[in-house]
Each structure stands twice: as structure tokens, then as C-alpha cells.
Amino acid sequence: MPLSHRVPDLSSLEMLLAVARLGSLGKAAGEAGISQPAASARIRVMETQIGAALLERSPNGSRLTAAGALVAGWAARVLEAAEALDTGIEVLRGEREDRLRVAAGQTVAECLLPGWLVGLRAERPDTFVSLSADNSRAVAEKVLRGEVDLGFVESATVPPGLAAAVVARDELVVVAAPQHAWARRSRVRPAELAAARLVLREPGSGARQVLAGVLAPYGGLAGPLLELSSSTAVKAAAVCGAGPAVLSRLVVEEELRARRLVAVDIAGVDLGRALRAVWPTGHRPRGPARDLLSTARRAARADPGRPARALRAGTRPDATPSR
């Protein structure tokens, strides 16, 4: 049930209690940092709301009437409850400021977020971060349900209800074990890739969504040879010779450099993708979530093509290209 118009606001109740404590409207106004006419006007509005005189004014100061003393008693309890509410809100805000819940696709979680979190820790050393790595569909669902403060997805599109910002660029690569027939070919046609049975992530993964979209004009993806729930498992299966796989270059960096896997060139197909931060539409990230987003964006602006360039050269991102 809403309060009636007769209930004064908190600042007016504080003024009444200050007059009772100090014995002077002028002193109460000074304590509140307002002029005496403004304080007097505040009391008059409150008297009109309540329908009773609250102060008796004289050259020697001001004192409460009987009605004023009664209202002041009630006001003290109201302000005590308001102070408790204010304290609780501050505690709640402090707890939220010290906690950050993040969900990310596996490429971002394994290859990019560790560096971003180091940067965040330099700015917010007391913030506790909890991170869950999942496929992009599950990440988006967690963000929409409010289970995390910020998400990072690797899919080609952003689900309805989410706002997004690109934080990095990535490239998917078709890889195969050195003994596989594709490893000895200079190029594989898109239609061959579409028809091949591949080692793939589950349907909700960003890599699989991107690949399915790219191969749609060529008949779409054939049924997978193996369907695995992590990039690490897909990579291990490819290394063991189970079949070709499609993974982020960031994920297979070590294997490409060591020749445990070979990158397969696909003719005329762009497997680049954007990696995005996502949050509910209309609710901009705040606190540590905002700072993590800023850290990721700064890293992207510093050298937006660095990971892809370095990995195409067969090197670590921070190494000198091999000759």
C-alpha cells in the first residue's frame, strides 16, 4: 500500500529533529547547509502536510509543540530505519563491487581472459572473480538469466536481448594430423570440407556455429565423426589422427608450431570471426564488469591483429617470427 501524501520526506524529518536537538531553526539550517528561510519553508510544508503546528517560534529560539514532539518521536524511529537501510545498501554495493561473475566461451576463457584478468587485478586487487567456461549458447543464456555480470561469446551472431562489443578478432583453422591425406594437399575445396565427417564441438559452440554458417552455401555440415564438449578434447582427437577438426588458431598454436597438427588451407573461405563481450540490453556493465570490458578493449586496440598474425607466422604472439 503506497504512503499517503501526509508523510513528510526524510530531509524534513531530519530538520525537525535538528530543531528539537539544537533549540534553534537557524542553527538547524546551518547544520544542514541551507538558509534559514529554506529551513523555515521546509517546516511549513511539513506542517501543512500533517495539518498541525510543529514549532513555536520566539526571539529566544524555537521549540516543539506537543504535536511536534509526537511527530519527532515517530520521526526518530523512521530515520533510524532509514539509516539501517542506507547501511545495508552500502554493504550490498560493496559486496557487488568486490565480486565479478564471468562466463566465457572456451577460446576466450583459455587464451585471452587470463591476460585480461591480470590487467583487472592491477586496477581492482580486492575483486574476487569467478569464471565459468562454456559454449557460446550457454554463456548467452547465463547472461540473460542474470547468473553472471559479463559474458564473452564466440558465435557469429548475438542472441536477442543482449548488447555486445567486439573485444578481439580470431580465426578458425581446419587442422589434421600430419599423416592425414589433407595434410599433404595444398588446398581443400569448401564442398569437400562440408561433406567431410569432422571432429567437432557440440552444436552450441561458437566455432561450430561459425563453421555451419560459412559452409551453408556448400550444403552445410555433414554429421560429425566425433562430437566433443571441449576444445581440448577436439584438439587431442585430431592429434591422435581421429580426423580433421576446426579450432581457433589460438587453441592450436603449440600443435601447429610443433607439427603435431597441420593447418589445412580451404579455398576461398573466410573463417575469421569476432569475439564479443555481451550483457543484457539496456544494462551497461558497471563496476568490475565495466573495468574488465575496458581492459579487453584496450588489449584489442593495442594490436587488433596480433594473435592472428603471430599464429599465421607459426610463432607465439610475443615471439620473433621464425625464419
Side-chain angles (χ1 to χ4, degrees), residues 102-110 131-143 145 148 150-157 159 162 200-210 227-231 234 273 275-276 278:
V102 181
Q106 292 188 16
T107 298
V108 174
E110 295 174 5
L131 169 63
S132 59
D134 218 321
N135 64 48
S136 292
R137 179 189 298 168
V139 169
E141 290 171 353
K142 287 180 179 180
V143 175
R145 291 195 299 263
V148 295
L150 192 65
F152 293 93
V153 297
E154 303 163 5
S155 50
T157 59
L162 295 179
L200 295 172
R201 288 279 309 279
E202 74 282 9
S205 76
R208 183 157 171 174
Q209 290 178 23
V210 170
E227 189 174 275
L228 303 172
S229 62
S230 74
S231 298
V234 171
R273 62 175 177 172
L275 307 179
R276 299 177 176 88
V278 293

Side-chain angles (χ1 to χ4, degrees), residues 198-271:
L198 304 172
V199 181
L200 295 172
R201 288 279 309 279
E202 74 282 9
S205 76
R208 183 157 171 174
Q209 290 178 23
V210 170
L211 183 64
V214 168
L215 295 181
Y218 305 96
L221 278 170
L225 176 66
L226 292 173
E227 189 174 275
L228 303 172
S229 62
S230 74
S231 298
T232 300
V234 171
K235 180 171 62 175
V239 169
C240 291
V246 181
L247 291 162
S248 164
R249 281 190 180 268
L250 294 167
V251 172
V252 294
E253 171 190 0
E254 295 286 347
E255 287 70 25
L256 291 176
R257 194 170 64 251
R259 297 289 296 177
R260 291 191 294 271
L261 288 174
V262 176
V264 178
D265 187 18
I266 307 299
V269 167
D270 180 11
L271 290 175

Side-chain angles (χ1 to χ4, degrees), residues 6-96:
R6 294 185 297 276
V7 177
D9 58 45
L10 294 179
S11 60
S12 297
L13 296 178
E14 288 177 324
M15 179 61 62
L16 182 66
L17 291 179
V19 173
R21 177 166 42 83
L22 299 172
S24 165
L25 187 60
K27 290 180 181 178
E31 184 178 78
I34 62 176
S35 67
Q36 182 168 337
S40 182
R42 190 175 291 179
I43 295 295
R44 282 198 302 272
V45 168
M46 186 163 47
E47 289 176 327
T48 300
Q49 284 179 283
I50 295 172
L54 303 176
L55 292 183
E56 291 181 355
R57 300 167 178 83
S58 72
N60 296 324
S62 302
R63 65 184 183 89
L64 301 186
T65 64
L70 190 59
V71 172
W74 297 330
R77 294 198 294 271
V78 170
L79 291 172
E80 182 179 347
E83 288 174 2
L85 174 62
D86 188 34
T87 300
I89 291 172
E90 284 300 312
V91 170
L92 180 61
R93 287 176 61 88
E95 288 177 351
R96 294 185 63 183

Side-chain angles (χ1 to χ4, degrees), residues 290-310:
R290 176 199 58 217
D291 293 346
L292 178 58
L293 177 58
S294 298
T295 298
R297 282 173 151 173
R298 283 197 300 270
R301 286 196 299 268
D303 194 350
R306 182 184 179 196
R309 283 200 309 273

